[in-house]
Amino acid sequence: MNSSVESSLQILMRRFGVRADYRPLREDDVFLRSHLGRLEASDRYSSLPRRLRVLLMLVDGKASVADMRRGLARYRGLDDALDMLRQMGLIETLPVPMGD
């Protein structure tokens, strides 16, 4: 990752009060919008940067991280952006059914 992207992410993380602890995403993680994420997605005047807001709108509770990586191959920093949305409380991992 180049330094200009890192510094942009650090600025956004600081702006939105996101913790800096990063947990790698698993290929089979499936995200859905939290209650806060649904409110943010429906807000016409959201303060969320456009790139993150578009990604938030694409989180549907069906596509795995691997599916999103394939479908959004040109989205730079996808893992970081998903992690940022998760740390902001806008998305959450779909619980894995018991017995799997």
Side-chain angles (χ1 to χ4, degrees), residues 2-94:
N2 71 40
S3 62
S4 66
V5 172
E6 284 178 334
S7 63
S8 297
L9 285 173
Q10 290 170 349
I11 290 167
L12 283 173
M13 290 174 76
R14 201 170 37 253
R15 177 177 169 199
F16 290 103
V18 177
R19 299 181 322 268
D21 56 336
Y22 175 77
R23 182 182 70 82
L25 303 177
R26 294 184 2 214
E27 291 282 316
D28 60 342
D29 279 346
V30 175
F31 290 105
L32 65 148
R33 283 182 240 149
S34 65
H35 177 71
L36 182 62
R38 289 189 299 275
L39 291 174
E40 188 71 31
S42 66
D43 184 4
R44 289 184 56 193
Y45 303 105
S46 170
S47 62
L48 201 60
R50 185 174 179 205
R51 272 178 58 83
L52 288 177
R53 189 163 194 272
V54 167
L55 185 57
L56 178 62
M57 299 299 284
L58 293 173
V59 170
D60 61 1
K62 297 175 186 170
S64 68
V65 169
D67 295 335
M68 293 182 84
R69 285 178 181 152
R70 279 191 299 277
L72 301 169
R74 297 187 65 184
Y75 192 105
R76 290 182 296 145
L78 177 63
D79 286 10
D80 291 332
L82 285 169
D83 190 56
M84 185 178 296
L85 290 173
R86 178 178 54 191
Q87 289 187 31
M88 292 170 71
L90 300 175
I91 62 174
E92 53 196 21
T93 307
L94 188 68

